[in-house]
Amino acid sequence: MATVPELVSVPTPASSLSPLTDSHGRRITDLRVSITDRCNYKCVYCRTGQSGAQYSELSTADYLRLIRCFVSLGIEKVRLTGGEPLLRRDLPHIVHELASWRTPSGEPLDIAITTNGHLLESLAEPLKAAGLTRITVSMDAVDPATFERITRVPGSHSAVLAGIRAAQRAGFHPVKINCVLLRGFNDDQVEAFAEFARSEDVIVRFIEFMPLEEDRLWTPEVVVPLREIVERIGKIYPLRPLTPNTSSETARRYGFADNRGEIGIIAPVTQAFCGACSRIRLTSDGKIRTCLFSHFEHDLHAVMRRGAGDSELLDFIVRAADAKEARHHIGEPGFLKPSRSMVHIGG
């Protein structure tokens, strides 16, 4: 495994530091880190296809130092995203380093990845060996032709399916599948995904389309709401509500009545969950975003580049978290989309 430059002045997680909270009393325990702005897909609802990466990425040592600062403040879950995180050749090493850390309470970090799955077949076992806890694969159609129309990459459906199965063989259970639904585009895949969840033994999570796309095509009419998804699946496979795994869980969980699997629905548009939000984000170029829809970014990496010590970095993170927005304002008069699209923020 490749070596990484020695980390300089990395804080050790300590229970003496106060847990990270915002001004609304929410405990911040989940960190999502985009480790690259590059992506090997050009999904039509995500990218225009006219440009690729727009933001820089940091060195391995810089990412690890910044993440360790967050862990010192009580972060318990770290999700590595992109862009497409599997494009980082040092990804297994990053995971290996994170897996050796402990939270202030002495527990191992929960380390997850969101990937498009295209490169997962060859990387599933190395990532499991490195200490990765969970994998989520973005997959927006079961039908191969529809899927490749979305990704604009020939052969992508077979590659992703092979990656999902490789992850299962490597011991990742359950593998979660995220599907963003757009009315008139891929909403005919709802029932097929219910069958896919059962036949492939995965948890499919449908996500309401949010105004975070690169070419700004969002309208309320494009959103396929939670209620409709439940009703449609319920006609072929009766569903029963399941209790949340945690109070801050984003997905509404439903089990099939015959106990053969589970689906989830993430409904930020029609049933927002901002009140229990425990997440904070770090972009590929080292900026803190306290909400997907933030209009202001906190440049943590710039503070580090100026030679800040760990205490200054920790103070900066605490102040940024304290300014976290109470909620988003999707669909309200005067709503403004953020300057970055989802692919440039990190899922």
Side-chain angles (χ1 to χ4, degrees):
M1 188 173 289
T3 59
V4 64
E6 182 179 355
L7 301 182
V8 179
S9 186
V10 177
T12 300
S15 58
S16 59
L17 294 173
S18 299
L20 195 61
T21 58
D22 66 17
S23 61
H24 309 285
R26 295 171 297 195
R27 173 93 185 276
I28 310 302
T29 57
D30 302 351
L31 172 66
R32 303 193 173 196
V33 184
S34 175
I35 57 174
T36 181
D37 197 49
R38 294 171 290 140
C39 189
N40 47 356
Y41 280 3
K42 296 179 181 179
C43 296
V44 295
Y45 66 84
C46 186
R47 286 190 184 274
T48 63
Q50 303 305 314
S51 60
Q54 297 181 21
Y55 298 92
S56 61
E57 54 194 62
L58 310 185
S59 68
T60 304
D62 283 358
Y63 280 127
L64 289 173
R65 184 180 178 193
L66 296 181
I67 295 171
R68 192 93 184 230
C69 287
F70 281 96
V71 173
S72 298
L73 292 167
I75 289 293
E76 300 167 356
K77 301 176 182 179
V78 175
R79 179 173 293 276
L80 303 175
T81 70
E84 173 45 48
L86 269 58
L87 291 174
R88 288 277 304 216
R89 294 183 179 181
D90 57 352
L91 177 60
H93 182 73
I94 293 174
V95 171
H96 179 74
E97 288 293 318
L98 295 177
S100 71
W101 300 354
R102 295 296 178 266
T103 66
S105 62
E107 297 297 320
L109 281 176
D110 181 356
I111 311 164
I113 281 179
T114 298
T115 172
N116 62 30
H118 194 85
L119 302 174
L120 187 55
E121 184 177 15
S122 63
L123 285 169
E125 287 192 7
L127 288 171
K128 184 67 174 178
L132 186 68
T133 312
R134 295 180 289 122
I135 287 180
T136 298
V137 177
S138 298
M139 182 181 183
D140 297 317
V142 173
D143 174 67
T146 303
F147 184 81
E148 292 175 15
R149 178 165 58 91
I150 293 171
T151 65
R152 294 183 283 189
V153 175
S156 54
H157 182 271
S158 59
V160 172
L161 189 57
I164 291 168
R165 291 169 176 170
Q168 292 172 318
R169 290 194 301 272
F172 291 102
H173 294 289
V175 174
K176 292 181 179 179
I177 309 298
N178 280 356
C179 170
V180 178
L181 289 175
L182 286 74
R183 190 176 304 284
F185 189 72
N186 68 338
D187 60 316
D188 61 341
Q189 298 290 293
V190 170
E191 291 82 0
F193 264 118
E195 179 57 41
F196 186 81
R198 294 164 64 84
S199 64
E200 295 290 335
D201 192 25
V202 295
I203 296 176
V204 174
R205 301 193 305 179
F206 300 98
I207 303 175
E208 292 180 344
F209 184 45
M210 295 177 284
L212 287 164
E213 73 291 345
E214 196 168 69
D215 56 1
R216 302 299 194 250
L217 58 81
W218 189 90
T219 65
E221 292 73 28
V222 177
V223 176
V224 183
L226 178 148
R227 180 179 297 179
E228 178 181 334
I229 298 168
V230 172
E231 289 177 354
R232 286 173 57 180
I233 294 177
K235 290 178 180 178
I236 57 172
Y237 295 117
L239 297 172
R240 56 186 177 83
L242 301 176
T243 57
N245 290 308
T246 65
S247 60
S248 62
E249 187 169 28
T250 57
R252 302 287 184 97
R253 301 174 60 217
Y254 297 87
F256 295 106
D258 61 2
N259 296 317
R260 282 191 55 199
E262 174 185 334
I263 65 162
I265 304 174
I266 301 174
V269 178
T270 63
Q271 299 192 31
F273 39 79
C274 303
C277 183
S278 61
R279 286 162 293 284
I280 196 167
R281 286 174 165 80
L282 189 68
T283 63
S284 66
D285 53 347
K287 295 180 174 64
I288 297 172
R289 292 184 65 91
T290 51
C291 175
L292 277 174
F293 297 95
S294 294
H295 288 277
F296 184 79
E297 299 175 335
H298 310 263
D299 197 344
L300 181 62
H301 189 239
V303 177
M304 188 179 75
R305 287 199 315 272
R306 292 198 296 268
D310 298 327
S311 60
E312 188 176 348
L313 293 176
L314 293 169
D315 288 343
F316 188 89
I317 293 170
V318 169
R319 291 196 303 272
D322 187 66
K324 181 174 170 65
E325 297 84 345
R327 62 185 181 90
H328 67 65
H329 298 275
I330 297 175
E332 297 179 12
F335 169 76
L336 295 175
K337 297 176 183 179
S339 58
R340 294 198 196 207
S341 60
M342 187 69 166
V343 69
H344 302 302
I345 296 173

